[in-house]
Amino acid sequence: MSSIENLEPFNAYSLVNGQWRSTTNTTEVLNPATGATVAQVAAQGAELAVEAVEAARAALPSWSKTSAMERSQYLERISQLLLEQIDGLALVLTTEQGKPLAEAREEIEYAASYFAWYAGEALRAYGRLVPAGAENQRVMVRKCPVGVVTAITPWNFPCALLARKLAPALAAGCTFVAKPALETPLTALALGAITRQAGIPPGVVNIVVGADSQAIGEVLTQHPAVAKFTFTGSTAIGTQLLAQCAAGVKRTSLELGGNAPFLVFEDANLEAAVDGLMAAKFRNAGQTCVSPNRILLHQDIAAPFLALLRERMAALQMGDGEDPSTQLGPLIHAQAVVRIQQLVAAAVAAGAKVETFDQAVPGPAFAPPQLVTNINPEMDLFQQEIFGPVVAVMTFSDETNAVQLANATPYGLAAYAYTQNLQRCWRLYEDLTVGMLGLNQGRISSAMAPFGGVKASGFGREGGPEGIEEYLSTHYLAWGDCT
Ligand code: SIN
């Protein structure tokens, strides 16, 4: 398999040591919009994960010694290949994940931007020469690749979230083993195919598709050759994986659940705030870790804000992501819809009000846009990550009340705030306990910025100069007798 065109049904394998590896044990990849089978994927067990880690260990000495310039060129090439094959890749992504084609294209561009950005950072992993404490001494610091990196990546951004781990790891000189989500392995395998097209040597990038998440997860977190483990997913699973990493003292970075507050103050530009909310909330049908989860409106502007919002929500086009007019695709599967319905029903039973925007629901994995008002912090709808197209709203009386509500969950990934008051902007940046804040801005993700959270949303950063540091270790040399 050398190109994306070859990623056809019954032809979806794992990539280990430069070889496509199959097995008779298969699992189906389903199109969430139609329920149709997209592919039969060879579902591997823990043995192939062990092989992949060993291949990565064997490839490490030579990959880590390639020049920074050479690694940079490989990354540039991967970025170009992603963009050259964007049509095919976006279609694979939409077919297995469900997001509208336009969003799938954006995701491929977003993934390519990580390779382009880290092509630059590969050249800048500088050490330093430190003035020493004695005349005949020299002190030097250098940055080294941590070694073999393993990753478990989620289904909501199957290309971009793999790219933002893989690109800095390769730039740093690490070798890599990923286990993509079983719902969306094809996009990850396509990225694997592209790394081969770019000429990345065998064993440097390995992708293991497997159904036995527990056993494969144990290999990726506990194999003695693994130096660093990185995960994006729920806080519950991340906590277990972190405990598994502890025994071997593995370097770890975790991008876990979010519960972003979206604050709109009385002095905000309401049109801009509604634009920002629509962009952030309905991206990927609400299935993003940075999706606004709790919409906190100043009591004086709640009515006009909601009037504007209702118009926009009523106009959303729901449907199969392959239809170019679709703005809201399906959720990942029908169980996700049921979970959301339960959250909304529980909130309504406790006093919230729900408006469902009348849409013919095209299949069991589709959830219509819903506006739920009058929520409160005791509700699961306030405390849990919704991960769907439900806009949950409550009002606040002043800034102190708003900040207290915004911080009133265990999560701390992202927050958004709309206000024209500059002093308040500064206070919010200091007082909201989150890793990322969008001020008068609904889209906060980019390759050059450090994406990540605090509190139960995890630790470590992906993107920006911080992103490559996660894959580097610092070694210092004290050299005596230099004169
Ligand atoms: C996520 O949902 O974890 C990532 C979304 C993004 O990168 O914007």
Side-chain angles (χ1 to χ4, degrees), residues 110 156-157 161 164 232 255 283 287-290 445 451:
Y110 182 35
N156 61 342
F157 289 84
L161 298 196
R164 82 176 176 210
T232 298
E255 198 249 284
R283 176 173 175 231
Q287 302 170 112
T288 76
C289 298
V290 290
S445 314
F451 191 105

Side-chain angles (χ1 to χ4, degrees), residues 80-104:
Q80 280 164 7
L81 287 166
L82 280 164
L83 296 176
E84 280 167 18
Q85 298 177 52
I86 191 166
D87 294 338
L89 288 163
L91 189 57
V92 171
L93 177 41
T94 291
T95 312
E96 67 174 352
Q97 201 280 334
K99 65 181 63 179
L101 262 180
E103 284 190 38

Side-chain angles (χ1 to χ4, degrees), residues 338-355:
V338 172
R339 185 185 152 267
I340 285 170
Q341 284 167 345
Q342 285 166 350
L343 278 176
V344 172
V348 170
K353 293 201 179 77
V354 62
E355 289 163 67

